[in-house]
Amino acid sequence: IRDEEDEILPRKDYESLDYDRCISEPYVEILEGMDNKKAKKYEAVRWVMMFAIGVTVGLVGLFVDFFVSLFSKIKFTVVGDCILCQNTVCNVLAVYNCVRLYVYIHMYILYPVAAGSGIPEIKSYLNGVKIPGIVRLRTFLCKAAGVLFSVAGGLFVGKEGPMIHCGAIVGAGLPQFQSITFKRIKFNFPYFRSDRDKRDFVSAGAAAGVAAAFGAPIGGTLFSLEEGSSFWNQALTWKVLFCSMSATFTLNFFRSGINFNKWGSFQLPGLLNFGEFKCSDGDKNCHLWTAVDLAFFVLMGVVGGLLGALFNCMNKILAKYRIKHIHPKAKFIRVLESLLVAMVTTVVIFAASILLGECRDLSSPSTQNTTLSGGEDINSTIRQFFCTNKTYNDMATLLFNPQEAAIHQLFHQDGTFSPVTLSVFFLLYFLLACWTYGVSVPSGLFVPSLLCGAAFGRLVANILKVELGMDIYSGTFALIGAAAFLGGVVRMTISLTVILIESTNEITYGLPIMITLMVAKWTGDFFNKGIYDIHIQLKGVPLLEWETEVEMDKLTASDIMEPNLTYVYPHTRVQSLVSILRTTIYHAFPVVTENRQNERDFIKGNILVSNNIRFKKSSVVSRAGEQRRRCQSMKSYPSSELRNVCDEQNVVVEPAEEGEDLLQQMLERRHAPYPNLYPDQSPSEEWTMEERFRPLTFHGLILRSQLVNLLIRGVCYTENQSSATQPRLSYAEMTEDYPRYPDIHDLDLGLLNPRMIVDVTPYMNPCPYTVSPNTHISQVFNLFRTMGLRHLPVVNAVGEIVGIITRHNLTHEFLVAKLRQHSITI
């Protein structure tokens, strides 16, 4: 336990998103006015937005690819021109990298949330957690521009991860037709004004980002399903695939036209293309892979899982050190760290090329003429740095090229690199990529992992060819090595398999890739989690996994719920609402009425709560008693319409303990819902045990944002009026301020009459999901996660609310703590 306490890092409380629809009266009015024609129009608008998101993400990918290629080409051209003076080369490269990184660091200081790959944050968002600023327009601008400088600045990072984040931001912002950063950008567009709709578009945007990065629309759809969305809508699958296709072919159209001047040829589907795997012409004995090779692929999967676990462990240690010692300090310290990484990377690239590179013969007869994604031949990327005219430097060929070109070299060049070069390159890239992921720059992890794994696979192929004399295809082993290492780091299975198959355009690689990824994931899971899950855990995000552990079913909903509730009555005074909102931080409040008839059945003391939770077997309800109780409940409800439902002559009201009529007592108290409550008191400070755990009949749930909206808009009525005189808000007015609802502290109390009464019943959700106190944790967890809930009321057998469950109550740490308490109690 002491070791676990040492693992705890500074954490932040994250809010949840409202994925569950509030079926209030304004929303029902929208549904009643929705005919088939309007429904089809709404669906058509959704399809148009999916297409617009895909096209926009494709254009963003085009922008990133064009300028990264331009900056990288300028850098390597300048280095090539300075090759005669080695010191000048090193100085030029270092200055270039640091200047580009320094430009981005100024952007990072303005908006730090743009750092990192963004995949952990998007995964958390789709899981139902609201991370501030993660889908803002300013984040998008810093991310899209910053990735140009971090990748072109020579850091061992990729642009695929930030592309996924950029796609998610486009999906979140484009259908809103408004911007908080640029407040003048605002159109009257009433559609998609909820977290539920935004979640669907963020899923589509993330899938489009994957599709644009790898040219894999199906893989992008599966990525959004497997790694992203926790609450998947089956009808959304086709729309997400359509969005991914739009992004892929938009990027393909423009890149093919720009690089090959063949508009409409569609030759470059994604930012990263692995090229075509094929044997040399005339080599009839060549084969891509055989059944015998599967045994080596399994072993490579095991090694890839071990290497991935080691990578994640080292990166976790670095991340924890940054959280404890670097992030709490001034931003200048993070700037220095980023510049230090850039300087060390530059020195390592230069020193490894001049000291550890081998000069090899240029006239290698087995090199293939493979075309790179930029339109140049693969042999044009061979570097002769520090070697004579008829030789080339194999280490410089890997380090003084863009990462995509280095991957092509490892996949398609035959007999180019020595085992020593591959070993040193893998070790250097492994360590520097591990150090770089997590610094304050946009840093994708896909391409560095693929490059590390490709070097590992190529090393295995060289050993099998030279030492064992086996007839194998080196490119296949490089691909399997890349899959093994990437799978060991990120622990993805289905989506990564499809992404690699679509990137290679070779379906015969499906079986070896799938087996390798499965083995790598199983091996890595013995030691730790995937890299994205580790960073989510370090950030303290309450992410809900796919399912709970089996032993958690020893607990029930009553064991984990929050019993101390702050609630409101259907008709509540303004001063009470203001006091509740100012003295609590809850985001939802149960709407209840008091059930004092059962109050005398409960015992005072510590076991009062447990007696309130469990249904008493002794209270058997007959049909007549049920009808009487139902009528009393209706008449006690502060609404004239419900009070007139039952005939008063047929209702027998049991007197209270003081001998007074219970119904008359409740009618007299309907405008004083909180006994002894004043605006400067918290609802739970001065209450006795009886008042705190009084039986409360549950009627619905209302959100904090809705209550604040009602107060700001003056939705209330006076004591001498009926609730029918209260102003009515439409659904558009209720959601007008989405997603930045006003805060209670923005309310001008001088404009409010504290004696006014607010009728919250038209705006509450009268039919939220509820569970019984005896429901097992696995059922509670599946309901909460599958339906995308934020609050889950616990209601006993007689309709009384006894507690509420939120995301915090279902996190692994909370459940483990409750399980320990449960075991000690037993």
Short mmCIF file of all heavy atoms in Angstrom, two decimals, residues 631-660:
data_model
loop_
_atom_site.label_atom_id
_atom_site.label_comp_id
_atom_site.label_asym_id
_atom_site.label_seq_id
_atom_site.Cartn_x
_atom_site.Cartn_y
_atom_site.Cartn_z
N CYS A 631 -52.65 7.95 -4.71
CA CYS A 631 -53.42 9.19 -4.68
C CYS A 631 -52.78 10.21 -3.75
O CYS A 631 -52.74 11.40 -4.05
CB CYS A 631 -54.85 8.90 -4.24
SG CYS A 631 -55.84 7.99 -5.47
N GLN A 632 -52.29 9.75 -2.60
CA GLN A 632 -51.63 10.66 -1.68
C GLN A 632 -50.37 11.26 -2.30
O GLN A 632 -50.08 12.44 -2.12
CB GLN A 632 -51.28 9.93 -0.38
CG GLN A 632 -52.49 9.60 0.47
CD GLN A 632 -52.10 8.81 1.70
OE1 GLN A 632 -50.94 8.41 1.83
NE2 GLN A 632 -53.05 8.59 2.60
N SER A 633 -49.64 10.44 -3.04
CA SER A 633 -48.44 10.94 -3.70
C SER A 633 -48.79 12.01 -4.72
O SER A 633 -48.11 13.02 -4.85
CB SER A 633 -47.69 9.79 -4.36
OG SER A 633 -46.58 10.28 -5.06
N MET A 634 -49.89 11.78 -5.46
CA MET A 634 -50.30 12.77 -6.44
C MET A 634 -50.75 14.07 -5.76
O MET A 634 -50.41 15.17 -6.20
CB MET A 634 -51.44 12.22 -7.31
CG MET A 634 -51.01 11.12 -8.26
SD MET A 634 -52.37 10.55 -9.28
CE MET A 634 -51.56 9.30 -10.26
N LYS A 635 -51.49 13.94 -4.68
CA LYS A 635 -52.01 15.13 -4.03
C LYS A 635 -50.92 15.89 -3.29
O LYS A 635 -51.01 17.09 -3.09
CB LYS A 635 -53.13 14.74 -3.07
CG LYS A 635 -54.32 14.07 -3.77
CD LYS A 635 -55.43 13.73 -2.80
CE LYS A 635 -56.21 14.97 -2.42
NZ LYS A 635 -56.88 15.58 -3.58
N SER A 636 -49.87 15.17 -2.86
CA SER A 636 -48.78 15.87 -2.18
C SER A 636 -47.83 16.54 -3.16
O SER A 636 -47.00 17.35 -2.76
CB SER A 636 -47.98 14.87 -1.33
OG SER A 636 -47.36 13.91 -2.17
N TYR A 637 -47.95 16.22 -4.43
CA TYR A 637 -47.08 16.84 -5.44
C TYR A 637 -47.54 18.27 -5.67
O TYR A 637 -48.71 18.51 -5.93
CB TYR A 637 -47.18 16.04 -6.75
CG TYR A 637 -46.03 16.28 -7.69
CD1 TYR A 637 -44.92 15.47 -7.69
CD2 TYR A 637 -46.07 17.34 -8.59
CE1 TYR A 637 -43.87 15.68 -8.56
CE2 TYR A 637 -45.03 17.57 -9.46
CZ TYR A 637 -43.94 16.73 -9.44
OH TYR A 637 -42.90 16.95 -10.30
N PRO A 638 -46.66 19.25 -5.56
CA PRO A 638 -47.07 20.67 -5.64
C PRO A 638 -47.49 21.07 -7.03
O PRO A 638 -46.89 21.90 -7.69
CB PRO A 638 -45.82 21.42 -5.20
CG PRO A 638 -44.97 20.42 -4.52
CD PRO A 638 -45.27 19.13 -5.17
N SER A 639 -48.51 20.47 -7.55
CA SER A 639 -49.02 20.81 -8.87
C SER A 639 -50.54 20.63 -8.85
O SER A 639 -51.03 19.55 -8.50
CB SER A 639 -48.39 19.93 -9.95
OG SER A 639 -49.00 20.17 -11.18
N SER A 640 -51.25 21.65 -9.19
CA SER A 640 -52.70 21.59 -9.10
C SER A 640 -53.28 20.55 -10.04
O SER A 640 -54.30 19.93 -9.76
CB SER A 640 -53.30 22.97 -9.42
OG SER A 640 -52.89 23.37 -10.72
N GLU A 641 -52.61 20.32 -11.19
CA GLU A 641 -53.14 19.34 -12.14
C GLU A 641 -53.13 17.94 -11.54
O GLU A 641 -54.07 17.16 -11.70
CB GLU A 641 -52.31 19.37 -13.42
CG GLU A 641 -52.42 20.66 -14.24
CD GLU A 641 -51.55 21.77 -13.69
OE1 GLU A 641 -50.86 21.52 -12.69
OE2 GLU A 641 -51.59 22.88 -14.25
N LEU A 642 -52.04 17.59 -10.82
CA LEU A 642 -51.96 16.26 -10.23
C LEU A 642 -52.83 16.15 -8.98
O LEU A 642 -53.32 15.08 -8.66
CB LEU A 642 -50.51 15.93 -9.88
CG LEU A 642 -49.58 15.70 -11.06
CD1 LEU A 642 -48.18 15.42 -10.57
CD2 LEU A 642 -50.08 14.54 -11.90
N ARG A 643 -52.99 17.24 -8.26
CA ARG A 643 -53.80 17.17 -7.04
C ARG A 643 -55.27 16.89 -7.33
O ARG A 643 -55.98 16.34 -6.51
CB ARG A 643 -53.68 18.48 -6.25
CG ARG A 643 -52.33 18.70 -5.61
CD ARG A 643 -52.44 19.66 -4.45
NE ARG A 643 -53.05 20.92 -4.84
CZ ARG A 643 -52.36 21.95 -5.31
NH1 ARG A 643 -51.06 21.87 -5.44
NH2 ARG A 643 -52.96 23.08 -5.63
N ASN A 644 -55.71 17.28 -8.53
CA ASN A 644 -57.12 17.08 -8.86
C ASN A 644 -57.40 15.75 -9.53
O ASN A 644 -58.53 15.48 -9.93
CB ASN A 644 -57.58 18.21 -9.80
CG ASN A 644 -57.53 19.56 -9.10
OD1 ASN A 644 -57.70 19.64 -7.89
ND2 ASN A 644 -57.31 20.62 -9.88
N VAL A 645 -56.37 14.92 -9.68
CA VAL A 645 -56.59 13.64 -10.35
C VAL A 645 -57.46 12.72 -9.50
O VAL A 645 -58.38 12.07 -9.98
CB VAL A 645 -55.24 12.97 -10.66
CG1 VAL A 645 -55.45 11.54 -11.16
CG2 VAL A 645 -54.49 13.78 -11.70
N CYS A 646 -57.15 12.62 -8.22
CA CYS A 646 -57.87 11.73 -7.31
C CYS A 646 -59.03 12.47 -6.64
O CYS A 646 -58.96 13.66 -6.35
CB CYS A 646 -56.94 11.18 -6.24
SG CYS A 646 -55.67 10.12 -6.92
N ASP A 647 -60.09 11.77 -6.43
CA ASP A 647 -61.25 12.33 -5.73
C ASP A 647 -60.94 12.38 -4.24
O ASP A 647 -60.61 11.35 -3.63
CB ASP A 647 -62.49 11.47 -5.99
CG ASP A 647 -63.75 12.09 -5.41
OD1 ASP A 647 -63.69 13.25 -4.91
OD2 ASP A 647 -64.78 11.43 -5.43
N GLU A 648 -61.06 13.56 -3.65
CA GLU A 648 -60.70 13.69 -2.25
C GLU A 648 -61.60 12.86 -1.34
O GLU A 648 -61.22 12.46 -0.26
CB GLU A 648 -60.74 15.16 -1.84
CG GLU A 648 -59.66 16.00 -2.51
CD GLU A 648 -59.66 17.40 -1.94
OE1 GLU A 648 -60.38 17.63 -0.95
OE2 GLU A 648 -58.94 18.25 -2.47
N GLN A 649 -62.83 12.59 -1.79
CA GLN A 649 -63.73 11.83 -0.95
C GLN A 649 -63.32 10.37 -0.84
O GLN A 649 -63.65 9.70 0.13
CB GLN A 649 -65.16 11.91 -1.50
CG GLN A 649 -65.70 13.34 -1.51
CD GLN A 649 -67.08 13.40 -2.09
OE1 GLN A 649 -67.61 12.38 -2.58
NE2 GLN A 649 -67.71 14.57 -2.04
N ASN A 650 -62.60 9.87 -1.82
CA ASN A 650 -62.20 8.47 -1.81
C ASN A 650 -60.83 8.25 -1.18
O ASN A 650 -60.35 7.14 -1.13
CB ASN A 650 -62.18 7.91 -3.24
CG ASN A 650 -63.57 7.93 -3.85
OD1 ASN A 650 -64.57 7.83 -3.14
ND2 ASN A 650 -63.62 8.08 -5.17
N VAL A 651 -60.20 9.33 -0.76
CA VAL A 651 -58.86 9.22 -0.22
C VAL A 651 -58.92 9.31 1.28
O VAL A 651 -59.50 10.24 1.84
CB VAL A 651 -57.95 10.34 -0.78
CG1 VAL A 651 -56.57 10.23 -0.18
CG2 VAL A 651 -57.91 10.25 -2.29
N VAL A 652 -58.33 8.32 1.93
CA VAL A 652 -58.25 8.32 3.38
C VAL A 652 -56.82 8.67 3.75
O VAL A 652 -55.89 7.92 3.45
CB VAL A 652 -58.64 6.96 3.97
CG1 VAL A 652 -58.51 7.00 5.50
CG2 VAL A 652 -60.05 6.59 3.54
N VAL A 653 -56.66 9.79 4.39
CA VAL A 653 -55.33 10.28 4.73
C VAL A 653 -55.04 9.93 6.17
O VAL A 653 -55.81 10.27 7.08
CB VAL A 653 -55.23 11.80 4.52
CG1 VAL A 653 -53.83 12.29 4.87
CG2 VAL A 653 -55.59 12.14 3.09
N GLU A 654 -53.95 9.23 6.37
CA GLU A 654 -53.55 8.89 7.73
C GLU A 654 -52.95 10.12 8.40
O GLU A 654 -52.14 10.83 7.79
CB GLU A 654 -52.53 7.76 7.72
CG GLU A 654 -53.09 6.47 7.20
CD GLU A 654 -52.06 5.36 7.28
OE1 GLU A 654 -50.99 5.62 7.84
OE2 GLU A 654 -52.35 4.27 6.79
N PRO A 655 -53.32 10.40 9.61
CA PRO A 655 -52.77 11.56 10.30
C PRO A 655 -51.31 11.35 10.64
O PRO A 655 -50.86 10.22 10.78
CB PRO A 655 -53.63 11.68 11.56
CG PRO A 655 -54.12 10.28 11.79
CD PRO A 655 -54.29 9.68 10.44
N ALA A 656 -50.61 12.43 10.77
CA ALA A 656 -49.21 12.35 11.17
C ALA A 656 -49.12 12.15 12.67
O ALA A 656 -50.12 12.05 13.37
CB ALA A 656 -48.48 13.63 10.75
N GLU A 657 -47.90 12.06 13.13
CA GLU A 657 -47.71 11.78 14.55
C GLU A 657 -48.28 12.91 15.43
O GLU A 657 -48.75 12.65 16.54
CB GLU A 657 -46.22 11.62 14.84
CG GLU A 657 -45.64 10.38 14.23
CD GLU A 657 -44.18 10.23 14.58
OE1 GLU A 657 -43.63 11.13 15.23
OE2 GLU A 657 -43.61 9.20 14.19
N GLU A 658 -48.29 14.14 14.94
CA GLU A 658 -48.80 15.26 15.72
C GLU A 658 -50.32 15.36 15.63
O GLU A 658 -50.92 16.25 16.21
CB GLU A 658 -48.17 16.57 15.23
CG GLU A 658 -46.67 16.66 15.45
CD GLU A 658 -45.88 15.92 14.41
OE1 GLU A 658 -46.50 15.36 13.48
OE2 GLU A 658 -44.64 15.87 14.53
N GLY A 659 -50.94 14.49 14.86
CA GLY A 659 -52.38 14.49 14.74
C GLY A 659 -52.89 15.40 13.64
O GLY A 659 -54.10 15.59 13.50
N GLU A 660 -52.03 16.00 12.86
CA GLU A 660 -52.45 16.90 11.81
C GLU A 660 -52.55 16.14 10.49
O GLU A 660 -52.00 15.06 10.33
CB GLU A 660 -51.46 18.06 11.67
CG GLU A 660 -51.35 18.89 12.94
CD GLU A 660 -50.36 20.02 12.76
OE1 GLU A 660 -49.85 20.15 11.63
OE2 GLU A 660 -50.11 20.75 13.73
#
